[in-house]
Amino acid sequence: MNPRRVHILKDVPATRGPVLYWMHRDFRARDNWGLTYARLQALRTGQPVAVIFCLAPEFADATAVHFNFLLDGLTQTVHALRQQNISFFALTGSPGLEIASFARKHGAGLVVTDFDPLRVKRRWHEDLLSACELPVHEVDSRNIVPARVVSDRREFMARTIRPKIKRLLLEFLDEFPELPAHPHDWPTAPPEPDFPVLRSKIRNDAPRQNLLVEPGEQAGQAVLHNFLKSRLPLYAKRNDPNQDVCSNLSAYLHFGMLSAQRAALETQSCGLAGEHVDSFLDELIVRRELSDNFCLHTQSYDTEDGFPAWARESLHKHRNDPRPVIYSPEELEKAGTHDPLWNAAQTQMLRSGKMHGYLRMYWAKKILEWSPSPAEALRTAILLNDRYSLDGRDSNGYTGIAWSIGGVHDRGWTERPIFGKIRFMNYAGARRKFDVDQYVRTWIAPQDDASI
C-alpha cells in the first residue's frame, strides 16, 4: 500500500509484540487501509494482529440510536475478522487511555489508529500518546487522497481543492490488496465481545427512530450496488426531495461501514458515464474531502470563529436586525414552526434519521433566520443534526452547517437583512424547484400542515 497514507503520530523505536489496530472511525473488515497496514506490519515482524474498539458512551451528542446502529454493524465485522484470524477486543471508557492500558498489558509493539480531524478524536489520540511509549501510526482510510497529503492548509472552496485531489487520484485510487488469513495466532483465546454489556452502558436518551437503514458492511455494499444499478442513471434529479435517486450511502460512509474508495472504484467500473456520474463522484470525493480539510485545519470548525472574515463581518453588521419570528431550540426540535416545509424536513430527520441533502441547506438557513443570533443558530443546528441525524457528529455535517449559516466555502451574495451577504434560500424558491406540497404530505399529516 502507498506509504503516504501513513502519518507517524509517535516515532519511537519499535518493540517486538502484537500489532494493534484501534478502530474508531472506519468500522469495517474489508477495504480498510488502517487494518491493511496493521496486518502488513504484523506480517513483517511475525506477530499477531488484533482490532480494538472502545465504546465512549458520552461521545458528542450520539444517542442510543447511533450506538445501536454501530454495534449492530460491528457484530458482522467481528465475524469477518475471525475468518481472517484477527482477534477483536471491545473495551469501554476513555478511549485513548483504555487503548494505552490494553497495549501495555498485552506487550504490543505498534498501535495503528484511524485518522479523524474532529477535536474529540484528537484528544483521544493525545491521551494515547501521553499514556504509552509505543510507536503510534495514523492511517487515513476515510479519504481516497489522505487529508494530510492533499493540502497542508484550509482550502478556500471546492474549486481550490478539486485540482489538488485530481492530480493525486491516479496515485491513490488503487485497488485494495487481498491478504490471506493472518498466519500468527493471538497468544490466548480472545473473549467473546459482550455486546449486551456494551449496550447496557449506553444512555437511553432518545426515542427509537424508524431508521429504515440496515446496519453493517454487507448492507452498505448492497445499497451501493442498488444505487449504481437503479438510481445513478437518474442522479441528475437528486435535488428534488420527492425523487428517490440519492445514494443513501451517508450513514455507511459516516460509520465507515463502506469505503468511499470502494464506492468510487465500483462507480468507475459500472459502465456509466456523463454528468450524473461526474456529479456523484465529485460529491463522494471532493466535497467529502473538503469537509475533512475544513475540520483538520480549522480548530473552531463548530463556532463562528470558523467562518470566513467577510461572513463574520456581514453577520455582525446585521446582528440586531429584527427577526420575523424566534423559535426556541425545543420548538425547533419538535418541528413546531409556521413553515410546513421546514417542519416536514425536521420530521423526516426525527423519524428516519436522515434528511434530503437539498433540504439540509434550507433547514439550516431557516434556523439562522429564526434565531436570536448566528451563534445561537449554529449551536441549535449542530445540536439537532448530531442528535437526530444518523450521519451526525461528522466533518460533513459541521462543514455543511457552516456553509449554510456562515458562508464557509462560499462567496458573498446580495446583502439582505439578518443574512447579510450569506446565500439566501426561502420557501418560494423551494416551490419553484420541486413539489413542496407532495414532500410535506409525505412527512406531515394534513391536519398538521400549516399555511406559510
Side-chain angles (χ1 to χ4, degrees), residues 339-365:
D339 182 338
L341 177 58
W342 194 95
N343 293 344
Q346 173 70 8
T347 302
Q348 181 184 14
M349 185 169 67
L350 290 174
R351 292 181 184 173
S352 68
K354 63 180 291 185
M355 185 189 298
H356 189 277
Y358 175 81
L359 287 175
R360 283 189 177 194
M361 299 181 290
Y362 179 85
W363 173 87
K365 288 180 179 295

Side-chain angles (χ1 to χ4, degrees), residues 145-449:
V145 181
R148 297 187 188 276
V149 173
V150 71
S151 179
D152 61 359
R153 61 181 61 87
R154 172 172 161 175
E155 293 296 327
F156 180 64
M157 56 179 52
R159 66 175 173 80
T160 65
I161 199 173
R162 186 177 289 111
K164 296 181 179 181
I165 291 174
K166 288 188 173 181
R167 281 196 297 268
L168 293 164
L169 271 182
L170 186 62
E171 176 184 354
F172 286 99
L173 186 53
D174 51 355
E175 186 55 77
F176 293 87
E178 289 287 341
L179 298 178
H182 197 69
H184 306 293
D185 296 337
W186 192 258
T188 58
E192 191 74 17
D194 198 338
F195 286 109
V197 169
L198 290 180
R199 292 180 199 275
S200 71
K201 299 179 182 295
I202 298 170
R203 299 168 298 179
N204 188 17
D205 56 358
R208 183 73 188 186
Q209 294 163 285
N210 183 20
L211 296 179
L212 305 177
V213 181
E214 181 184 351
E217 297 183 57
Q218 295 177 11
Q221 290 286 331
V223 172
L224 172 63
H225 294 155
N226 179 271
F227 167 67
L228 296 179
K229 178 182 178 181
S230 304
R231 298 194 300 280
L232 180 58
L234 305 172
Y235 198 65
K237 301 178 181 179
R238 63 191 178 278
N239 284 338
D240 184 345
N242 297 313
Q243 302 294 323
D244 184 20
V245 301
C246 292
S247 72
N248 297 326
L249 295 174
S250 62
Y252 301 108
L253 293 170
H254 165 68
F255 282 98
M257 295 173 182
L258 176 71
S259 161
Q261 186 149 344
R262 171 59 57 203
L265 288 168
E266 297 205 14
T267 300
Q268 289 185 334
S269 63
C270 73
L272 296 174
E275 185 275 336
H276 54 293
V277 175
D278 294 341
S279 295
F280 172 67
L281 288 174
D282 193 71
E283 292 176 8
L284 177 72
I285 302 173
V286 175
R287 297 290 177 173
R288 291 181 72 252
E289 301 203 8
L290 180 63
S291 295
D292 260 15
N293 169 272
F294 173 62
C295 292
L296 176 62
H297 296 292
T298 309
Q299 180 71 11
S300 52
Y301 54 78
D302 55 354
T303 75
E304 287 181 292
D305 291 340
F307 297 169
W310 67 264
R312 292 198 306 272
E313 179 182 351
S314 181
L315 287 168
H316 182 74
K317 177 181 176 182
H318 293 272
R319 68 192 184 282
N320 294 322
D321 289 357
R323 271 59 177 166
V325 63
I326 291 180
Y327 291 112
S328 69
E330 292 75 21
E331 289 173 314
L332 294 170
E333 183 175 22
K334 296 176 182 177
T337 80
H338 67 286
D339 182 338
L341 177 58
W342 194 95
N343 293 344
Q346 173 70 8
T347 302
Q348 181 184 14
M349 185 169 67
L350 290 174
R351 292 181 184 173
S352 68
K354 63 180 291 185
M355 185 189 298
H356 189 277
Y358 175 81
L359 287 175
R360 283 189 177 194
M361 299 181 290
Y362 179 85
W363 173 87
K365 288 180 179 295
K366 284 299 177 181
I367 294 177
L368 170 61
E369 186 175 349
W370 302 333
S371 296
S373 68
E376 182 68 21
L378 187 64
R379 284 193 295 270
T380 299
I382 289 174
L383 173 68
L384 296 179
N385 187 66
D386 283 1
R387 182 171 175 79
Y388 290 108
S389 182
L390 194 54
D391 64 359
R393 309 152 314 284
D394 190 284
S395 55
N396 279 344
Y398 298 123
T399 306
I401 291 171
W403 178 90
S404 299
I405 295 176
V408 168
H409 301 146
D410 204 358
R411 62 176 178 83
W413 293 75
T414 301
E415 191 166 5
R416 63 178 66 240
I418 303 175
F419 287 82
K421 296 181 180 179
I422 301 298
R423 185 192 299 248
F424 181 69
M425 294 177 70
N426 65 3
Y427 186 84
R431 293 195 73 94
R432 289 193 293 270
K433 290 183 176 296
F434 64 93
D435 188 340
V436 167
D437 296 334
Q438 179 183 342
Y439 177 78
V440 171
R441 287 193 302 269
T442 300
W443 293 104
I444 299 180
Q447 64 268 23
D448 296 332
D449 195 356

Side-chain angles (χ1 to χ4, degrees), residues 86-128:
I86 299 172
S87 299
F88 178 90
F89 295 88
L91 312 175
T92 184
S94 179
L97 299 179
E98 292 295 333
I99 299 299
S101 176
F102 184 95
R104 290 193 300 269
K105 178 180 178 181
H106 293 274
L110 169 67
V111 176
V112 180
T113 182
D114 290 331
F115 162 78
D116 195 320
L118 300 188
R119 286 192 307 275
V120 60
K121 297 295 189 71
R122 294 193 201 188
R123 287 194 295 268
W124 290 1
H125 282 171
E126 290 167 1
D127 288 344
L128 170 64

